Amino acid sequence: NERAAMLGLLQIISAALSQYPTSLAQDKADLADERLFPRFSNKRHAKIQVRGEKEVLHHYARWARTALEVLEVIEDELKEEQQRGVEVQLGRGVVPDDSSRSCGYDYIIRRMEEDEANVHHTVVRYCADVLG
């Protein structure tokens, strides 16, 4: 299932990041110090390479966390619909309008789209487009 896949991906990313002796933040700070990491030096280029590897890992971690958040929103929305006795049909992208709900799927997706730092916008946009 999707949740298990995203949790597995996060575990793999966490294990990979734990193999590095420094954090991404430390790499960025190190690269700001041209005395310790002189321009055009092999030491600096190695640090740049490792920083790039970590940026990729962090990108996919953010992607997986966003996917988990979207899955949670969908599951909550389905539970709410089932509790209200609405027939739930996945993949149709049609959810009856109910102005009494202040935190429905559409509202949450819009809020996630507005979040600049903590969500992966590609995942949010894809889910919004596919799931309605």
Side-chain angles (χ1 to χ4, degrees):
N1 94 20
E2 293 84 2
R3 179 176 301 285
M6 293 302 105
L7 291 171
L9 178 58
L10 285 171
Q11 288 176 340
I12 291 167
I13 291 168
S14 179
L17 286 169
S18 72
Q19 298 299 308
Y20 291 101
T22 60
S23 68
L24 177 59
Q26 183 61 52
D27 290 348
K28 289 178 180 181
D30 289 346
L31 287 168
D33 185 349
E34 289 188 13
R35 186 182 53 75
L36 289 177
F37 293 88
R39 292 179 132 200
F40 309 111
S41 68
N42 287 340
K43 184 177 178 183
R44 181 176 191 80
H45 287 124
K47 182 65 88 168
I48 290 169
Q49 173 65 33
V50 170
R51 179 195 63 189
E53 293 169 5
K54 292 176 189 176
E55 287 172 339
V56 169
L57 290 168
H58 282 277
H59 167 86
Y60 282 106
R62 195 170 102 222
W63 182 85
R65 284 191 303 274
T66 300
L68 286 169
E69 288 179 30
V70 170
L71 287 170
E72 186 175 315
V73 169
I74 292 167
E75 290 168 357
D76 290 346
E77 185 81 7
L78 289 173
K79 286 176 191 172
E80 181 182 318
E81 295 295 326
Q82 288 172 337
Q83 288 173 352
R84 293 184 323 153
V86 174
E87 184 179 335
V88 176
Q89 295 181 355
L90 295 176
R92 301 261 175 162
V94 178
V95 176
D97 182 34
D98 184 348
S99 58
S100 67
R101 294 182 312 183
S102 62
C103 292
Y105 176 79
D106 291 333
Y107 171 79
I108 299 296
I109 291 298
R110 278 194 303 277
R111 291 299 306 252
M112 291 175 89
E113 288 173 335
E114 293 169 1
D115 187 344
E116 293 295 322
N118 296 320
V119 299
H120 195 287
H121 293 281
T122 304
V123 173
V124 173
R125 190 73 258 146
Y126 174 80
C127 290
D129 291 345
V130 170
L131 301 172

